[in-house]
Amino acid sequence: MRPVLILASQSPARASLLTRAHLPYDTVVSHVDEDAALAEHGPLSPSDTALLLARAKAEAVASLEVAEGRVVLGCDSVFELDGESYGKPYTADVAVERITAMSGRKGTLHTGHWLVDRGNGETLGEGAVSSADVYFAQMSREEIDDYVATGEPLQVAGSFTLDGRGSVFIERVDGDPNAVIGLSISTLRRLLAARGISPSHWWRPTPQVTTS
C-alpha cells in the first residue's frame, strides 16, 4: 500500500526527519520556479517568503494525478539576518560572505509548511511557519573557508546545517530544532490534526495475510 503522505521536496534533510519519526511517505519533486513565484507577489517578509514557496511546491504536486486521495506537504526554508531573506548561496564566494556576516551573531530560520489534503478534495490547503533563532559562534576566516570548501553550505538556506558540519558553529537554538533542519514534525502534526488525520495511525503494523 502506498503511503498517504507525499513530500513535495527533494531535500535529504526533510526526508530524514520523516524517516526518523517513522512517518511513511513518497517523494515527488515540485520543480517550482521559485524566482517566478516570488515575482508574482512583490516584496515579502522572510517568513512570508518561506510560506509562499512551501505553498507553491505543495499545490504544484497536489495538481498531479499521483496525489489523488493523498496528502501533500510542501516545505521551504528562509534564513533571516538583519531583516533580509537568505536562501541557498549556491557559490563559494556568496557562502563565505554570508557566513562571515553571521559569525558571532543571531539569525532566524523560518520554515514554511503547506498541506493539501487531496483525500478531502482540497486544492489549496493550509499552512504554517515554524521559526527558530540560531546563535552562531565567532568563526575565524580559516574555519569559514574550511567549511565552505566541504560544499555543505552551498545548497542549504542560510549557508549552514544543524544536522551536519555546520552544527560545530551553532551555540544555541531557541525554537524547534527540526524547523532549522527543514521540517517541523510538530507543525506537520498540527496541520494533519486539523484535517482529522493522526500520524500515529501510520505506525500501526500492516496486517499480515496468512494462507492455509
Side-chain angles (χ1 to χ4, degrees), residues 33-150:
D33 185 333
E34 298 186 8
D35 291 337
L38 292 173
E40 292 180 6
H41 293 80
L44 295 172
S45 69
S47 176
D48 287 345
T49 297
L51 189 60
L52 172 68
L53 294 177
R55 177 175 182 171
K57 294 175 182 180
E59 291 181 352
V61 172
S63 68
L64 303 177
E65 184 177 351
V66 69
E68 186 174 350
R70 305 172 75 183
V71 178
V72 180
L73 173 67
C75 295
D76 194 84
S77 297
V78 175
F79 183 69
E80 178 181 358
L81 186 69
D82 296 330
E84 295 293 327
S85 298
Y86 294 98
K88 301 172 184 177
Y90 295 113
T91 68
D93 288 345
V94 173
V96 168
E97 179 182 359
R98 291 184 183 177
I99 297 171
T100 300
M102 292 153 47
S103 177
R105 302 180 63 199
K106 178 194 80 172
T108 304
L109 199 292
H110 305 282
T111 292
H113 307 72
W114 197 270
L115 199 72
V116 179
D117 184 1
R118 284 290 307 279
N120 285 336
E122 281 186 348
T123 57
L124 299 178
E126 184 179 356
V129 177
S130 180
S131 303
D133 291 333
V134 184
Y135 293 79
F136 297 94
Q138 191 72 44
M139 295 171 257
S140 68
R141 178 55 189 264
E142 181 180 18
E143 288 177 314
I144 293 172
D145 287 342
D146 287 345
Y147 181 43
V148 173
T150 68

